[in-house]
């Protein structure tokens, strides 16, 4: 296999953060020697998450075996995922904000038509439903465990306990029409055809759409990690991958 140098558009703070966490992890394990040092393992992991390069390509570029590359990435992802904020912690952080934004996103996966639980009729593809909370400036506060794509947003929010956590913390939350009936402190636009709404309801919906659009940069930032644009791993690993990306996003923005 031919090997060439390539760029990686990730902040150096993310690399330093992950390298430091891996050093702590190795000290806790009592590891004496590895084929790659913590800096190279961190770079390997970032290349996989950011560019979505397969393990065979990464192994060739870093001079290790494919199994070793998989093991290094899996270890680093688990180290990051363990640092992900809990829903309770995110609710406490959200209580310091004027409001939070709630939205769901579908992460495409390589499943076939027979796998109906993973098929999202809304998006017309197979995927995993992930709920996100963002602050008014578009920074990610929390990402939920991944559920099959067939689960609707409002049901996913209820299953994760998002509605109750925000209500208990007294946090106002803005969401789209997919969260109709959620209750609690969740604010949603008026339903119905535009021409059937009153002028006051139209004004409220326009204002609501302007505020809710602030969540789009947060979701777009999540999707800049190309691995999440088309997941080909086991669905049981997707939650850890999302949590790892969330921690890296937050580390880069601090």
């Amino acid at each position: 296999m031919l090997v060439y140098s390539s760029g990686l558009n990730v902040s150096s703070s993310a690399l330093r953060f992950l390298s430091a966490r891996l050093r702590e992890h190795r000290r806790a394990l009592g590891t004496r020697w590895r084929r790659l040092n913590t800096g190279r393992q961190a770079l390997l992991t970032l290349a996989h998450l950011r560019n979505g390069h397969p393990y065979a390509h990464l192994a060739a570029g870093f001079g290790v075996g494919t199994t070793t590359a998989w093991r290094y990435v899996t270890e680093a992802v688990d180290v990051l995922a363990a640092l992900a904020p809990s829903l309770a912690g995110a609710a406490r952080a959200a209580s310091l904000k004027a409001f939070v934004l709630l939205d769901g996103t579908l992460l495409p996966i390589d499943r076939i038509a027979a796998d109906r639980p993973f098929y999202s009729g809304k998006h017309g593809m197979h995927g995993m439903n992930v709920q996100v909370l963002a602050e008014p400036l578009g920074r990610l506060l929390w990402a939920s465990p991944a559920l099959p794509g067939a689960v609707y947003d409002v049901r996913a929010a209820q299953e994760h306990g998002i509605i109750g956590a925000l209500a208990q913390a007294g946090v106002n939350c803005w969401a789209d029409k997919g969260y109709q009936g959620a209750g609690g402190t969740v604010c949603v636009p008026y339903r119905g055809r535009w021409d059937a709404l009153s002028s006051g309801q139209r004004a409220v919906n326009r204002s609501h759409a302007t505020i809710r659009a602030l969540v789009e940069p947060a979701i777009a930032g999540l999707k800049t990690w190309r691995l999440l644009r088309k997941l080909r791993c086991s669905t049981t690993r997707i939650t850890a991958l999302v949590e790892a990306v969330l921690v890296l996003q937050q580390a880069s923005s601090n």
Side-chain angles (χ1 to χ4, degrees):
M1 183 179 293
L2 299 177
V3 179
Y4 66 95
S5 300
S6 178
L8 187 63
N9 62 335
V10 178
S11 70
S12 58
S13 60
L15 179 63
R16 291 194 298 270
F17 175 83
L18 180 52
S19 298
R21 303 292 80 75
L22 289 173
R23 280 195 297 272
E24 295 170 357
H25 179 67
R26 290 190 184 188
R27 281 198 296 268
L29 294 178
T31 302
R32 293 186 176 183
W33 181 85
R34 295 272 189 102
R35 183 67 178 273
L36 298 181
N37 60 33
T38 55
R40 294 288 286 173
Q41 182 182 0
L43 186 60
L44 170 73
T45 303
L46 291 176
H48 178 64
L49 295 175
R50 190 67 165 189
N51 292 340
H53 291 160
Y55 294 115
H57 293 180
L58 292 170
F62 283 81
V64 296
T66 303
T67 302
T68 301
W70 173 84
R71 188 171 65 250
Y72 277 162
V73 170
T74 301
E75 179 185 47
V77 166
D78 290 341
V79 167
L80 288 171
L83 302 173
S86 65
L87 177 57
R92 286 194 297 272
S95 65
L96 304 176
K97 312 294 181 181
F99 59 89
V100 294
L101 303 154
L102 171 64
D103 202 359
T105 186
L106 187 79
L107 303 180
I109 59 175
D110 61 341
R111 289 300 183 270
I112 60 175
D115 297 316
R116 299 304 297 178
F118 299 102
Y119 185 79
S120 169
K122 174 182 176 181
H123 297 89
M125 65 176 69
H126 293 81
M128 299 294 285
N129 181 304
V130 173
Q131 300 291 301
V132 299
L133 288 175
E135 63 180 28
L137 295 179
R139 182 176 179 269
L140 279 172
L141 291 175
W142 179 78
S144 75
L147 292 175
V151 179
Y152 292 108
D153 283 340
V154 64
R155 179 184 160 194
Q158 292 167 343
E159 287 194 18
H160 293 311
I162 300 172
I163 312 302
L166 295 178
Q168 186 175 5
V171 181
N172 289 324
C173 173
W174 297 77
D176 62 21
K177 293 180 181 179
Y179 296 89
Q180 290 282 351
T185 57
V186 178
C187 303
V188 296
Y190 287 103
R191 295 185 66 180
R193 294 173 56 89
W194 184 257
D195 53 5
L197 299 177
S198 67
S199 59
Q201 290 173 330
R202 293 178 187 177
V204 169
N205 280 8
R206 279 194 294 267
S207 175
H208 188 281
T210 300
I211 296 174
R212 200 188 65 78
L214 299 173
V215 77
E216 298 303 329
I219 294 179
L222 202 63
K223 297 294 183 71
T224 59
W225 300 82
R226 293 186 181 89
L227 186 71
L228 300 184
R229 296 180 189 178
K230 186 68 172 182
L231 289 155
R232 294 178 172 83
C233 61
S234 168
T235 55
T236 59
R237 290 292 302 166
I238 293 177
T239 294
L241 290 170
V242 172
E243 290 175 340
V245 168
L246 170 64
V247 171
L248 289 172
Q249 283 282 96
Q250 292 179 336
S252 299
S253 60
N254 287 338

